[in-house]
Amino acid sequence: MVSIVVSAVGLVFLFAPDLQPEPEPPGLELVDFDLDKQKNIQADWTSDGEKGVMKDWETSLVTVMLRNGGDNPVLVKHADFRFSSVVEVGCPYGAGGSEVQARYDIKVPTGAKAPFTRTRKMKYTVPPHKQEQVAFTVGPKSVFAGALPQVYTFKITLHLSDGSRIEVPEMTYLDPSNTETVLESAAAAVKDGERYAFTTVDCVKQQERKARKIVQGASHVSPELTQYSAELTRLVGPSPSGGRLGPNSERDNY
């Protein structure tokens, strides 16, 4: 009896195709993402009990482009940032008593050990048949004078109101805090040929290799990390083996 009914329904759709139900339109989907755009970050500093506002600096935006192909609006409820690694890249240059707290969207706890997840609540609606973008900044909750730049590797999961998820591929992202100070100290050490304050040429060479390997091994890298790695490479000079060395230092074996 069931087979007869199914056959009859099939015949109805065969001879009256207009009666066949339309396929459900696609919902929210990932169109693209990038780390190319930049945003000014505001930060507050504290030193010896005094407080102030720092000059803004630029950091990469994690930009995610979404398209809603359906007939109904879709709400992005929250985003999970799953950090698989946090790596310091840079040489010690000294310390101090000041603390900086920057106004990032995703605040990474000081001293956090990967893996861990940070969640940002959202109420972002993508209208029907529209394309929209969401963007995030990522950085440390607070930074003390003497802290080294950190490289974050993470993936993003967007959780939608219908219970579905959108996975954004892995990104490798540099926290730009103190990069200028680290590079200035590295340049002074290389110029001296041995060391400058707490920075040594050997350390600069090691960190250059580390940064270069991270960039070469990553699929999606923030411009700050690429530039930082390139500057370390420029400082330590070429070697026949393809590594980089300081002008007055002995050659390494890689």
Side-chain angles (χ1 to χ4, degrees):
M1 181 66 179
V2 174
S3 61
I4 295 175
V5 173
V6 171
S7 300
V9 171
L11 288 173
V12 169
F13 290 148
L14 178 63
F15 292 106
D18 292 341
L19 297 178
Q20 188 167 350
E22 293 290 332
E24 188 173 331
L28 203 62
E29 58 182 345
L30 176 66
V31 177
D32 196 9
F33 69 98
D34 65 59
L35 293 164
D36 298 333
K37 301 177 183 66
Q38 293 188 315
K39 180 180 179 179
N40 286 339
I41 297 295
Q42 292 182 308
D44 304 316
W45 62 266
T46 304
S47 180
D48 298 328
E50 295 185 9
K51 296 183 178 181
V53 179
M54 293 183 61
K55 179 183 178 181
D56 294 353
W57 70 84
E58 288 188 336
T59 190
S60 287
L61 275 171
V62 178
T63 305
V64 181
M65 186 69 68
L66 303 170
R67 179 188 295 123
N68 182 1
D71 297 327
N72 299 306
V74 178
L75 174 68
V76 182
K77 295 173 60 180
H78 65 276
D80 286 338
F81 282 66
R82 303 190 309 279
F83 291 79
S84 57
S85 71
V86 177
V87 180
E88 288 185 337
V89 180
C91 298
Y93 55 89
S98 63
E99 178 187 6
V100 175
Q101 293 187 331
R103 300 168 194 174
Y104 292 107
D105 298 320
I106 306 299
K107 297 178 176 63
V108 181
T110 304
K113 303 297 182 183
F116 62 90
T117 299
R118 299 294 290 172
T119 299
R120 179 172 176 81
K121 294 182 179 180
M122 303 172 63
K123 290 184 179 179
Y124 192 90
T125 300
V126 182
H129 308 290
K130 294 291 185 180
Q131 185 165 293
E132 301 281 348
Q133 67 180 25
V134 293
F136 309 89
T137 55
V138 182
K141 183 176 181 180
S142 61
V143 176
F144 293 90
L148 298 177
Q150 297 185 97
V151 176
Y152 306 132
T153 302
F154 56 83
K155 293 182 179 180
I156 306 172
T157 301
L158 300 177
H159 296 261
L160 311 182
S161 54
D162 60 3
S164 62
R165 302 177 180 181
I166 290 179
E167 302 288 343
V168 183
E170 185 175 82
M171 291 173 246
T172 304
Y173 187 101
L174 178 71
D175 152 39
S177 305
N178 298 328
T179 52
E180 288 187 9
T181 306
V182 169
L183 291 173
E184 288 171 1
S185 184
V190 170
K191 182 178 179 180
D192 180 73
E194 185 174 351
R195 69 180 300 123
Y196 171 78
F198 296 96
T199 302
T200 66
V201 172
D202 283 343
C203 179
V204 176
K205 292 188 295 184
Q206 292 168 4
Q207 297 308 307
E208 186 277 332
R209 289 196 298 270
K210 180 191 287 188
R212 179 159 40 88
K213 288 180 179 179
I214 291 173
V215 171
Q216 291 173 348
S219 299
H220 306 284
V221 182
S222 69
E224 289 89 356
L225 178 53
T226 301
Q227 294 163 9
Y228 182 64
S229 175
E231 184 60 19
L232 286 173
T233 298
R234 185 191 68 79
L235 286 174
V236 299
S239 76
S241 60
R244 317 293 291 190
L245 296 173
N248 298 322
S249 58
E250 295 181 0
R251 300 213 174 270
D252 285 335
N253 293 319
Y254 287 92

